[in-house]
Amino acid sequence: MASARKQLLLVDPHSLFRRTVAMVARELDLADVHEASSIELAQRQLEERRYDALLLDISDGLASLSLIQSLRQGTLRSSADLPVALTAEAVDAGTLGLFKPLGIRRVMLKPFKVKTALEVVTALTGPGH
C-alpha cells in the first residue's frame, strides 16, 4: 500500500505561483500542497490541521515571524519542529537574525524558478522529515 503524501502548507500572496507549485508537486507525487494567500489564512489552517512542512512568504514581516514563533512554541496543530522554508523579495541581516533561531531550513530569494521551489518542497517533505 502506498504511503500517504506529505501535507505542505504554501503561504504566498501570488495565486499563480501557489497553483503552479501545488499542481506540479501533486503530479510528481511530492506532496499535497495546501494554499494560503495570507498569514491570517495560514494561521487558521495551522490551527485546524496538521502539516508536514511549511513554505512561507515573509513579506508580511512581523506577522510571519509571529506565526513561526507560535508554531515553534507548540500552540498550533502541527509539530513544533515542523520543517520550514521561507521566500522573500529581499532579506537583510537583521531579518535573518530574527528568523535564524527558529530553525528555518532554507530562505529563497525571489524571483526563483518553480523547479527551485519544488526542490525545496522535496527537501522539506522527503524521507526523514
Side-chain angles (χ1 to χ4, degrees), residues 54 67-76 78-80 82 84:
L54 175 64
L67 180 68
I68 297 171
Q69 288 171 331
S70 294
L71 176 68
R72 295 301 186 226
Q73 292 165 359
T75 62
L76 301 172
S78 296
S79 170
L82 184 79
V84 177

Side-chain angles (χ1 to χ4, degrees), residues 72-97:
R72 295 301 186 226
Q73 292 165 359
T75 62
L76 301 172
R77 302 260 327 236
S78 296
S79 170
D81 64 353
L82 184 79
V84 177
L86 307 176
T87 64
E89 300 285 338
V91 180
D92 60 31
T95 302
L96 274 180

Side-chain angles (χ1 to χ4, degrees), residues 8-15 18-19 34-51 54-57 60 63-64 67-68 76-78:
L8 178 127
L9 180 58
L10 171 58
V11 185
D12 193 280
H14 301 98
S15 61
R18 290 193 322 271
R19 285 193 198 115
H34 302 264
E35 302 175 41
S37 60
S38 69
I39 294 296
E40 294 76 23
L41 288 172
Q43 175 87 31
R44 204 166 314 129
Q45 286 178 259
L46 285 162
E47 288 169 354
E48 292 172 0
R49 67 177 298 171
R50 293 180 60 87
Y51 290 92
L54 175 64
L55 181 54
L56 175 68
D57 175 85
D60 284 355
S64 305
L67 180 68
I68 297 171
L76 301 172
R77 302 260 327 236
S78 296

